[in-house]
Amino acid sequence: MDIAFVSQIVVSGLILAVIYALVAVGFTLFVGVFNVLNFSHGDVLMFGAFAGFTAFLPLAGLGVTSPFLQLVLVTIASVTCTIALGLIVARFFILPLKGAPLLNTLLITLMLATVIREGVRLFYPRGSNPKSFPALLPTDFVSIGAINVRVDTIMLIFAGLAIIVATGALIERTRFGLAIRAVAQDEETARCMGVNYRLVVLGAFALGSGLAACAAMINGLYYNEVNYSMGLMLAIIGFCSAIIGGLGNIAGAILGAFIFAGLQIVGSLFMPFSSAYSDVFAFAVILVLIALKPTGLIGERVSERV
Amino acid sequence: MTNEAPLFESRGLSKRFGGLQALADVSFSVRRGEILGLIGPNGSGKTTLFNVVTGIYRPDGGAALLDGREIGGLRAQAIYRAGVTRTFQRCRLSTELSIFDELMIGAHKDLDLGFMANILHRKAFRAAFEEKREQARSLLAIFSAELAQRMFEPIARFPMIDRRRIEICRALISRPRLLLLDEPSAGMTHDETRQLMDDILETRRGNPELAVVIIEHEMPVIERVSDRCVVFNYGRKIAEGSYREVASDPQVQEAYLGTRHGAAA
Amino acid sequence: MSVTTRNGMRDRMFAAFALVATTLLCFAFGRALLTVNDERIVVALLVTLAAGIVLAERRVTRAPDSALVRGAVSTAPAAVLLAIVALILVFHANHFALLLICTLLIYVTVALGLHLQFGYAGVLNFAGAAFFGIGCYTAAVLTQLAWLPHPVVMVLGGVFAALIGLALLPPVLRTRGHYASVVTIAFGVLFTTFLEINETFGGAQGMHVAGLSLFGFDMTRNIRLSPGVTLSFYFGYAVVALLLAVGAFALVTRIERSWIGLTLDAVRLDETRSACFGIDLARWKIFAFCLGNFIIGVAGALFGMLMSFIAPPNFSFSASLMLVAIIILGGIGNRWGVLLGATLIVLVPERLQTIQEYRVLLFAALIVGLLLIRPNGLAPRRMRRYFGEGSA
């Protein structure tokens, strides 16, 4: 195997890992503050990708031709729409189910995901066809020794990593992060100490959805394609990552995402003929991992009061 | 007091949760037919002991012996089959089930769960069902005639005191050898508690070997029903003996009873 | 003595009256739903159905002990069965109506399998369509072997579905709470992907399935009974589908009315409590998951033969969600709700072509609304009775 090939694999693996990590962190946040398996997360992400794509369409006509300005506007549109949708989901469909059976919350988020997905497929113009997402970053190559990598790829990886690090800092260092951690640890005590529970849940959903928008942007800019069914697979991968890392644990979610991406890359090395088989391989390994270590690699908090 | 081997023995049971030593080297024994009061302040490890003995938690050290046989670390299912049942501090009843259904969960080890017996041989199943129905009815009747009469109604329709009774009946219906009662009087008035205790004592007439360990905060209840007491504090046993003995123990007074009950003893 | 006899007489008369009335109502409703072409009338029928259910439920909750209500409740199974038999007989030559009845009955069977998993044991299965597909593909492959009798093919469809489900169970059993559902969701999504890319099972083009032949009856062509009477080739399928659905219903009913049903409820409602009373959680979850998938697989094999051609989109994740929607609309844990849910999800879009394209969206939105407004479904489960209505 030559070094160029290896480097290409490493780079595409890193992109995947960053996207998955952004999704998985959202899942783990939702589990932390509300103990909800929010399956609509993936389709909220897809909605964000379509919002960004839609925002791009009229830009050239409006005279905005600078790729940088376009990128900024598209990102703002995507993040805003995603956060708005995430907040709607949290406020009207998840918060009212406080105390309802877990099955009901799970079913609601699954069906909401379907509503969003089908809504885009049916009502977006030609919604069932893939849309080509614009390449807004410089696409020329840089050479590091024998390795040729596209500039946009490197920028996306670093942007993604920076967002993840910033999120970690937000959770660990700020008052908002402290409130999230307090609620995740013990909701009742946190309330008694004056934490506004609803606000924290909504904040966590806004944060998680914003991260999903970032994942959507990175995904769109790297693959130059968005389609209505992308959210489902990302949701499953993100959630699996969160589980194998240890639910409710940010570092675990990131670790899980990197493991998943790594497995897909290994799978594609052995089965280069089809990416779908490498997905099957990655899921099979993940299922074995879950069976072996159901509470995750970095243990989750488990305490049931009997 | 006789020299026979104890029914249940805890030999140095220990349990840690992270940095918290919930049970530290706890040793005591329960004789056949005895009622042992287990007292101590909140968080002193009483419920943890129940959870370890019934197999919900695995002990980190020590042994739990039932009739000389090690049950520590067995699965909860095996410990139930060995003859240990319990009630829960916060009632664990499925309120959408009927009283009868909930009792049958308690009688699970006596139920024939074969596919044929349940699905195909309905005549034989009917006989088994009727036998169980009478068993449940007569057990409930000891506690309340009304419960026995309304045994096919959902538990959701019954008040707290009835739910406690149902929980106790569920624990008794399999004719256990050791019954663990976790604060049966929580949320009840004194009269209700007294009534409940009388009913529990009543069931022992038909089952004199039954030993009971009871966690209780109401000292008068403990004084009246228990043959002996064990006192916990910070996961350790700090005293053991008759109610009078432990109540006058200065260590116990300091840890738990305080001045209020200390003077009375 | 004479008073009780007279009461018994009265009860029997009421029961007979209720039986006839319910049968006629169900038959008339089914016949109208299957034949009416004007979509406005279909909508009117659905509104009538909804109103009827609301009224009937009110009556039952207000006066559960009245002779008429008891008569109606105790004869309802017979009435529904009679009505379906009558519909099959009336439409014996009508391909389209019979195909709809077959499809409905097959989906009822599938939903009963899911009902066993969700409603009793609380094991969540979001890959129902995948297990259904395993049954279909088993039929597609095995009907190529001419020597293999078709009833055996159907049973094997169920066996394969159960076995593949078994492979998914270790992570499901070990993961806490409902997070295990991600395992079946992943399987449900990957199953279609796998079908599309593989070469052996026809890939995205799908596969042909040979028609059912039972005891020498070839069910791929019409049967001429006499010069005037010709049975549609779907007639035989309708009979088999009805037998299957009735069998599944009887099995599920007996499970509910037995210690097994009680045990499954206990597992679903409180695992810690159940463990403390000797219930082997894994054993009963495996039982419900495998038996449920077996039922789904058998129904799938029949569906494959009925359709004679199957392709991956039939078994997508959306299809799995629609199967779940059937049992939720009916009310999780209510056997009768399954019939109602299947009618809404399977039959209504066929009769209301306007909504066909939007049905997944519509039903998903309907479920969301229902869970917010009426969390227990349209017809929540009633208390367990071990021996039919009237007895203890």
Side-chain angles (χ1 to χ4, degrees), chain B residues 54 56 75-77 80-81 84-86 88 92-94 96-98 100-102 104-106 108-109 111-115 118-122 125-126 128-129 132-133 152-154 170-171, chain C residues 250-251 253-284 287 291 381-388 391-392:
Chain B
T54 53
I56 293 178
R75 297 168 70 219
Q77 286 88 344
Y80 160 79
R81 277 172 202 284
V84 182
T85 60
R86 68 176 292 179
F88 297 90
R92 279 194 103 114
L93 295 167
S94 302
E96 56 264 69
L97 294 182
S98 67
F100 177 75
D101 282 354
E102 194 64 75
M104 287 306 105
I105 292 172
H108 205 259
K109 70 178 170 193
L111 303 180
D112 182 350
L113 291 160
F115 192 77
N118 279 277
I119 309 301
L120 296 178
H121 303 149
R122 291 299 280 185
F125 177 77
R126 178 156 214 150
F129 164 76
K132 285 288 156 205
R133 187 180 59 194
F152 288 97
E153 289 183 31
R170 182 180 68 188
Chain C
L251 177 66
T253 303
R254 288 212 164 168
I255 286 178
E256 181 173 324
R257 294 177 172 179
S258 73
W259 305 139
I260 295 180
L262 170 69
T263 307
L264 296 177
D265 279 343
V267 169
R268 179 185 81 250
L269 291 167
D270 185 346
E271 297 201 350
T272 305
R273 179 269 321 266
S274 301
C276 283
F277 291 98
I279 297 175
D280 188 341
L281 303 167
R283 174 183 163 197
W284 292 106
F287 168 82
L291 184 58
R381 175 163 168 194
R382 300 188 187 286
M383 291 294 303
R384 176 197 331 281
R385 285 169 184 273
Y386 287 86
F387 287 95
S391 69

Side-chain angles (χ1 to χ4, degrees), chain C residues 30-311:
Chain C
R31 205 188 121 101
L33 191 61
L34 287 169
T35 48
V36 164
N37 280 322
D38 189 334
E39 297 203 340
R40 281 168 302 180
I41 299 182
V42 176
V43 173
L45 277 173
L46 291 176
V47 173
T48 319
L49 175 69
I53 289 171
V54 170
L55 284 179
E57 200 194 308
R58 251 196 215 161
R59 176 103 187 126
V60 171
T61 37
R62 266 200 206 147
D65 289 325
S66 85
L68 185 63
V69 166
R70 269 188 294 143
V73 171
S74 62
T75 56
V80 171
L81 183 60
L82 278 177
I84 296 175
V85 170
L87 285 172
I88 293 176
L89 290 176
V90 167
F91 291 120
H92 63 270
N94 183 334
H95 293 326
F96 183 62
L98 280 180
L99 178 62
L100 285 186
I101 294 176
C102 287
T103 316
L104 177 72
L105 289 171
I106 288 174
Y107 275 91
V108 164
T109 312
V110 171
L112 285 168
L114 282 182
H115 163 87
L116 202 59
Q117 300 169 339
F118 276 81
Y120 293 166
V123 184
L124 307 189
N125 178 3
F126 291 103
F131 293 109
F132 190 58
I134 292 169
C136 281
Y137 274 88
T138 306
V141 173
L142 292 185
T143 47
Q144 292 168 0
L145 309 171
W147 51 268
L148 201 60
H150 285 177
V152 177
V153 171
M154 283 169 62
V155 170
L156 285 176
V159 169
F160 280 121
L163 284 180
I164 292 175
L166 205 54
L168 284 184
L169 269 174
V172 170
L173 293 178
R174 294 205 48 182
T175 316
R176 183 172 59 96
H178 288 98
Y179 301 129
S181 55
V182 78
V183 175
T184 55
I185 293 174
F187 178 70
V189 172
L190 286 174
F191 182 74
T192 347
T193 321
F194 170 76
L195 286 181
E196 273 164 3
I197 55 175
N198 85 87
E199 306 282 318
T200 337
F201 302 113
Q205 266 72 52
M207 257 183 121
H208 172 75
V209 192
L212 179 64
S213 76
L214 268 187
F215 315 115
F217 284 107
D218 180 359
M219 299 199 190
T220 48
R221 56 189 88 148
N222 298 342
I223 303 165
R224 285 192 64 177
L225 287 185
S226 65
V229 185
T230 309
L231 294 180
S232 155
F233 58 89
Y234 284 133
F235 185 83
Y237 285 102
V239 173
V240 177
L242 181 63
L243 289 176
L244 198 61
V246 169
F249 196 86
L251 177 66
V252 167
T253 303
R254 288 212 164 168
I255 286 178
E256 181 173 324
R257 294 177 172 179
S258 73
W259 305 139
I260 295 180
L262 170 69
T263 307
L264 296 177
D265 279 343
V267 169
R268 179 185 81 250
L269 291 167
D270 185 346
E271 297 201 350
T272 305
R273 179 269 321 266
S274 301
C276 283
F277 291 98
I279 297 175
D280 188 341
L281 303 167
R283 174 183 163 197
W284 292 106
K285 286 184 184 177
I286 293 170
F287 168 82
F289 196 63
C290 288
L291 184 58
N293 286 338
F294 175 79
I295 294 174
I296 296 171
V298 173
L302 181 64
F303 185 75
M305 297 180 199
L306 174 74
M307 290 287 132
S308 86
F309 185 78
I310 51 173

Side-chain angles (χ1 to χ4, degrees), chain A residues 9 263-275 277-278 281:
Chain A
I9 283 173
L263 285 170
Q264 275 183 317
I265 295 300
V266 172
S268 66
L269 280 180
F270 290 111
M271 291 169 279
F273 38 89
S274 161
S275 70
Y277 276 117
S278 73
F281 165 77

